Amino acid sequence: MSEKTEVIKIFEDVSREAGKLISREFGKIYESKVQSKDLGDFVTTTNLETENILLKILKKILLNIS
């Protein structure tokens, strides 16, 4: 498998994992905690959890590659 193909597979897997969380939480905005990042800039707990999933998995993969 080429390096480009491996990178695409990694991003596809990571995106699917984050997508599972987003799918579970879709439509539950009234149940979500919303925080203000800046004036008019809001983030939900789902946004933060998704970001953490992406960062955690990508860091793990990148550390194993190095």
Side-chain angles (χ1 to χ4, degrees):
M1 191 180 307
S2 74
E3 186 174 318
K4 184 176 181 180
T5 305
E6 289 179 41
V7 170
I8 291 170
K9 172 105 173 72
I10 288 168
F11 279 98
E12 182 181 75
D13 292 345
V14 171
S15 298
R16 288 184 192 281
E17 190 64 33
K20 289 178 191 175
L21 171 68
I22 294 169
S23 292
R24 278 196 315 266
E25 298 300 316
F26 183 78
K28 298 181 182 178
I29 189 67
Y30 296 108
E31 298 173 22
S32 292
K33 292 182 181 173
V34 179
Q35 300 172 13
S36 176
K37 289 172 52 176
D38 200 3
L39 185 62
D41 189 8
F42 302 98
V43 64
T44 66
T45 52
T46 303
N47 296 124
L48 298 173
E49 289 173 22
T50 301
E51 181 179 348
N52 286 334
I53 287 171
L54 295 171
L55 290 173
K56 180 179 150 186
I57 295 172
L58 290 173
K59 282 180 185 178
K60 182 178 177 182
I61 291 168
L62 290 173
L63 289 175
N64 287 333
I65 292 174
S66 304

